Structures are given as structure tokens and as C-alpha cells.
Amino acid sequence: MKDANASTFKYLKDGYAKDAWKVYFRGNIIKDASASSFQVLTGGYTKDAWKVYFRGEPMPYASASSFQILGDHYSKDSWKVFYSGQVISNASASSFKLLGNGYSKDSWKVYFRGELLQEASASSFQILGDHYTKDSWKVFYRGQVIKDASASTFTLVGDGYYRDSWKVFYSGQVIPNASASTFKVLGMGIPEIHGRHFISKEIAEANASSFENLGQGYAKDRWNSYYKGQKNGQQGGAAVKILGGGYAKDNWEVFYKSEKLQERQPLHLNILLMVMPKTAGKFIIRGSK
């Protein structure tokens, strides 16, 4: 860095640094930035006494004296509102407020991640949770209108499930053939694993009247047992017992999660946890008869 002054140079944070005369972002000079008044804010924003910057680039329409961070990538000054350093066209700074989960509004409009929600009513707009929102007429999921949802009767069931008077929804999608009037949450769904979303689906062979959530991914009805919505393949589901550690058994077979263990005696199976304190801090789990 040819022009940097070593004796006064210091690192600030988030890639910013300065010396007595200049300000730097990731090793490059920020042109015309005032080192004496420069300060790092949050969310990629910085300012000096005269200008506001976003990730090292000046924001020519922002007023440094009235600039403030709102959070969730939003900011504003006395006249304008910004999202990730860009002006939100026609947003009212005086009435603008943050709602959360990427949503915001002013007295007239609703925004999602800085973009105008054309069909949303600001006066009745509300956050429901699980990325759902609604106003008096429409329901939204992650900023998109759910066309088949009734806003007046749209409510939370639990575990990420919602319903109106006619349909049941999960992750913004209608669950085919689900009955809204009788639908209830059993607590066995896992909405997201390692960033992947799993949309609820019907367990075709399950008997609803006798269906029971056993925990740890297992469930049963009068005739069969299931692991994470898949039939395990054995009969006599009423006899299934959870042993712990991913193991389960009925009167004939033993299972580890979705796999059937061969040549085991299920009536006498115990789970033995053997701790080897001097084996590199490892725990060993074994199944024994």
C-alpha cells in the first residue's frame, strides 16, 4: 500500500482501516473519506462528517448528519430509506418502520427485502411467523402471495403448519387432501434439515384414528410402525417400543432408525453405553442381547 502511513496506520473492523490522512477498505483507498471523522457502523455501513458509505462505496443521496441504521439491512436518514445501500424509491422516511424477517412498511406501502409488495395493505399488514404475513385480504409467504389462502381465517396450527377454513399449508404450499377442520399437529415433522426444506406429505398407509407419535422420528398405528414418515415394513405396529439411541423393537424385529437389524432377539435387547475414558475421548455404543 504505497500511500499508507505506517506510523499512524490502524485497523478498524470489517475490512476498514485508516491512517492520519486516508481511509481504506480491503486495501483500497476510499476517495475523499475523512479519516479524522470516519466511523464504522454496522451492516456494511460507514460514515464520516459529510458522507455515508456502503461496503466502501459512497451513497450520494444519504445525509450523514441524520443517517441511522434500522437493522435487517435497512437504514434511513431524514428524507430517504435504504436497503443494502440502495434507495427504496418513494418510501416515507418519517413513517418507515422495521417489522422483521425482511419486512418493513411506511404509512402507505409494505416492503420485503427492500422491494415493494404491490398487493399488500400497510394499514392491516401483520407478521404471523414462520415467514408468513397477511393483511385483510391476502396471505404472503416469503414475500409471495399464497393465492389459495383465506386471510380472514388463516391461523397457526403449530410446528410450521397453518390453515384456513378450507386448506392446510406448510412452507407456503397447500397440503393436498388435508382436511382443515380435523387437522392437528402430532409433533413429528422436521421442517428443515441442513438447509433443506421438507414439504409435508400424506402417509398413504397410515390409520389416522390409531396413529401415535412415539418420538425420535418413530410413529405407529394399530397395524404398522413408521420412521420419519416411511413404513418400516413390519406388522403389529401396536407393539413397537422406543429403546433410545435410535433403536426400536416390536415382538419380532429390531430396528435402528429405518434399518432392520438381522438375527436379534427383540424381547431381550438392551442398549449398553460403554465409555472408554482413555480412548482418545471417544464414546462407543453397542447393542447387546
Side-chain angles (χ1 to χ4, degrees):
M1 297 172 60
K2 295 180 181 179
D3 297 320
N5 181 274
S7 62
T8 61
F9 190 90
K10 63 180 180 180
Y11 176 65
L12 301 175
K13 63 179 180 179
D14 298 337
Y16 291 94
K18 71 176 185 176
D19 59 22
W21 297 277
K22 296 181 179 66
V23 180
Y24 307 86
F25 179 65
R26 295 178 178 174
N28 298 308
I29 295 173
I30 301 177
K31 187 178 179 180
D32 299 327
S34 167
S36 61
S37 62
F38 190 85
Q39 54 182 302
V40 179
L41 304 175
T42 59
Y45 291 98
T46 58
K47 72 174 186 174
D48 59 22
W50 295 275
K51 293 180 181 177
V52 180
Y53 306 85
F54 181 73
R55 294 179 179 172
E57 295 295 327
M59 294 169 56
Y61 302 109
S63 167
S65 61
S66 62
F67 187 82
Q68 57 180 298
I69 304 295
L70 301 177
D72 214 2
H73 302 286
Y74 288 95
S75 59
K76 73 175 186 175
D77 61 18
S78 296
W79 298 274
K80 293 181 175 62
V81 182
F82 309 88
Y83 183 81
S84 291
Q86 301 297 313
V87 177
I88 301 177
S89 180
N90 300 319
S92 168
S94 60
S95 63
F96 192 88
K97 61 181 180 180
L98 196 64
L99 301 177
N101 293 327
Y103 291 95
S104 58
K105 73 174 186 176
D106 59 23
S107 295
W108 298 275
K109 300 180 181 71
V110 180
Y111 307 88
F112 179 66
R113 295 177 179 173
E115 297 292 331
L116 177 65
L117 277 184
Q118 296 279 359
E119 301 181 64
S121 167
S123 61
S124 61
F125 192 83
Q126 57 181 297
I127 303 292
L128 301 177
D130 302 305
H131 303 288
Y132 287 97
T133 56
K134 73 174 185 176
D135 60 18
S136 296
W137 297 274
K138 292 182 173 65
V139 180
F140 305 84
Y141 181 76
R142 295 181 182 268
Q144 300 295 318
V145 176
I146 305 177
K147 295 181 180 180
D148 297 321
S150 167
S152 61
T153 60
F154 195 84
T155 57
L156 171 68
V157 182
D159 242 5
Y161 293 92
Y162 285 74
R163 68 180 169 198
D164 60 18
S165 295
W166 298 275
K167 297 180 178 68
V168 181
F169 304 83
Y170 186 77
S171 290
Q173 302 292 320
V174 175
I175 301 176
N177 303 319
S179 168
S181 61
T182 60
F183 189 86
K184 62 181 179 179
V185 174
L186 302 178
M188 64 180 298
I190 303 178
E192 184 173 337
I193 300 176
H194 301 309
R196 295 179 58 197
H197 292 273
F198 292 81
I199 305 302
S200 294
K201 61 182 179 180
E202 181 181 356
I203 304 175
E205 299 181 46
N207 178 267
S209 62
S210 62
F211 194 86
E212 179 184 352
N213 176 23
L214 302 176
Q216 301 183 40
Y218 286 97
K220 69 179 182 179
D221 60 20
R222 187 174 300 161
W223 295 279
N224 298 297
S225 73
Y226 308 85
Y227 182 75
K228 292 189 176 180
Q230 298 297 319
K231 182 180 173 182
N232 270 348
Q234 82 273 34
Q235 300 296 313
V240 172
K241 295 182 180 179
I242 303 300
L243 303 176
Y247 290 93
K249 70 175 183 178
D250 60 19
N251 290 333
W252 298 274
E253 296 171 323
V254 178
F255 293 84
Y256 178 70
K257 296 185 176 179
S258 60
E259 298 294 325
K260 182 169 67 174
L261 303 184
Q262 302 296 325
E263 298 181 359
R264 294 291 187 267
Q265 298 177 11
L267 293 178
H268 305 289
L269 182 72
N270 294 306
I271 305 304
L272 176 62
L273 177 65
M274 298 185 64
V275 180
M276 307 291 288
K278 295 184 179 180
T279 310
K282 296 181 179 179
F283 294 91
I284 300 175
I285 301 177
R286 298 176 179 170
S288 63
K289 295 182 180 178

